[in-house]
Amino acid sequence: MPVTRSDVARAAGVSPAVVSYVINNGPRPVSATTRERVEAAIADLGYRPNAIASSLRNGSTRSIGYLTPNPRDPFMAELGESVERQFSARGYLVLTGNTYFDRAREERYLQSFIDRNVDGLVFAPGVSLASTPTWQADRPVVSLDGAGTHPGWSTVSAQDALDAATAVGHLVLQHGHMLVACIAGTPRLTSEAERIAGWRTATGSEGLPSGPELLAYGEISEEGGYSAAMQLLSSHGRPWVVHGRGPTAVFATNDAQAVGVISACAELGLRVPEDVAVVAVGGTRIAPYTVPPLSTVRQDVELIAELAARQLIAGIADPTAPAARSRLRGNLVVARSCGCELLAPSAVDHGTTTTGRPTSR
């Protein structure tokens, strides 16, 4: 038979109410001596509080629902790990729904989360429910896609356009590239659209071209980057490549596609960075292990998740609290793929900011 709170109370010589005060740290104080007896009885008997019964009493399940569209993307995978870690450290269970950009799956997971009475919801970038909701949120929500279209929702987002412009500006200003191509995921994703805009801003400010012949789309994956690069760089791809006017640098809007770009260059006999320099945005764990190592703007997923956890839990504690808005700036981490192999180690992380602290919208 499972050990009950009454069993602990008898073993400790106290009332079940006192056991409750010890477990919940209140609402009434307990003397140090009594607390020690209760904790010893809990340890001896192996008592574990009934989470379901506690949630019924307190009106809280200590759980949150997390929707993410593409767990195969290294950035999304690391973001999901960080979200789970940050909420777990605060005593919350994370229920994750992997939607694969399927609106019907999003709605099923959302209904499942609501049926399980989660205390709050977190939407990763690319969740369409965050941009075109057909439902009314009756609990706190944090959106990580930066849309910021719902006054009652808190948001945490990267400054994607600025991070992309930083990466492209490095190619142009530090390395002198005059023709920088862009390989991106679907522009219906807010983050991808902003990074494409950042590429155009950085090239346009220097009077460089950024027309459709320099832009190729692919799935946000290594395969997607490879296919887009083969289309963009090979002699069988864009016709202007045949005339010797191909790009000398490629900006990939995410690390996963950048890996595919580097692979495509190797297959085409193009050396990175000697023939084609490559930079990206993301800063995932794969970046140092590409060949050559990838130069990328690191976006701090742990800080994004930490802010999301703080904002959501604040909303759970006080539903009347105003929505919070946080925007984070990434760090350009240079490596050999852009041609910075001769930089001193102390200059490796010389990017836009050294901390990635949040700034106001």
Side-chain angles (χ1 to χ4, degrees):
M1 295 291 292
V3 177
T4 67
R5 191 166 298 187
S6 296
D7 295 331
V8 174
R10 281 193 295 271
V14 298
S15 70
V18 172
V19 176
S20 178
Y21 302 154
V22 171
I23 293 171
N24 298 314
N25 290 315
R28 295 186 179 180
V30 178
S31 70
T33 301
T34 301
R35 178 178 291 275
E36 288 177 4
R37 292 208 314 273
V38 171
E39 291 175 345
I42 289 173
D44 290 343
L45 297 175
Y47 172 68
R48 297 185 64 185
N50 188 314
I52 296 175
S54 177
S55 68
L56 291 174
R57 287 192 300 271
N58 301 329
S60 170
T61 60
R62 303 288 293 181
S63 64
I64 65 109
Y66 176 61
L67 285 181
T68 180
N70 187 8
R72 292 170 294 194
D73 175 3
F75 182 85
M76 290 292 186
E78 292 183 25
L79 179 60
E81 290 177 11
S82 296
V83 166
E84 194 281 330
R85 185 162 45 245
Q86 289 292 333
F87 278 97
S88 178
R90 292 164 172 81
Y92 282 80
L93 175 68
V94 178
L95 305 178
T96 300
N98 297 313
T99 68
Y100 303 99
F101 298 102
D102 185 331
R103 178 60 179 258
R105 286 176 66 93
E106 289 182 5
E107 292 177 346
R108 288 197 299 271
Y109 273 120
L110 176 64
Q111 189 58 57
S112 178
F113 292 157
I114 292 173
D115 291 344
R116 285 166 172 76
N117 198 31
V118 296
D119 296 331
L121 298 162
V122 178
F123 294 149
V127 173
S128 60
L129 283 169
S131 57
T132 56
T134 58
W135 55 283
Q136 295 295 320
D138 59 354
R139 63 207 71 209
V141 176
V142 174
S143 171
L144 303 183
D145 66 359
T149 56
H150 310 291
W153 294 7
S154 293
T155 61
V156 183
S157 59
Q159 297 191 51
D160 286 299
L162 179 60
D163 288 349
T166 296
V168 177
H170 178 73
L171 291 172
V172 174
L173 300 177
Q174 271 67 53
H175 293 284
H177 291 283
M178 304 298 289
L179 206 58
V180 181
C182 177
I183 287 177
T186 172
R188 69 183 175 87
L189 297 180
T190 301
S191 57
E192 293 294 302
E194 289 190 359
R195 293 173 191 181
I196 294 169
W199 164 67
R200 289 197 169 107
T201 296
T203 52
S205 65
E206 298 299 321
L208 304 180
S210 59
E213 72 279 2
L214 286 167
L215 175 61
Y217 297 103
E219 179 184 284
I220 300 177
S221 66
E222 294 84 350
E223 296 87 350
Y226 171 86
S227 298
M230 293 297 287
Q231 175 192 8
L232 193 68
L233 300 175
S234 74
S235 60
H236 302 291
R238 306 298 169 95
W240 46 266
V241 175
V242 178
H243 303 293
R245 297 194 302 111
T248 59
V250 173
F251 164 63
T253 57
N254 55 83
D255 286 1
Q257 287 186 318
V259 173
V261 172
I262 292 173
S263 177
C265 287
E267 186 166 325
L268 292 169
L270 299 171
R271 298 168 301 163
V272 177
E274 291 83 358
D275 299 320
V276 177
V278 180
V279 297
V281 170
T284 59
R285 287 191 291 262
I286 65 174
Y289 300 102
T290 62
V291 181
L294 177 64
S295 295
T296 180
V297 176
R298 178 179 177 270
Q299 296 182 332
D300 193 338
V301 293
E302 199 67 33
L303 181 56
I304 292 172
E306 179 185 349
L307 290 170
R310 290 181 178 179
Q311 292 177 3
L312 193 70
I313 292 172
I316 293 169
D318 180 9
T320 66
R325 300 282 187 267
S326 297
R327 299 204 73 189
L328 310 180
R329 189 178 181 184
N331 297 329
L332 175 62
V333 181
V334 297
R336 191 172 183 275
S337 74
C338 68
C340 283
E341 70 273 17
L342 298 180
L343 288 181
S346 61
V348 167
D349 188 353
H350 71 272
T352 59
T353 179
T354 58
T355 62
R357 293 191 180 92
T359 60
S360 59
R361 183 175 288 276

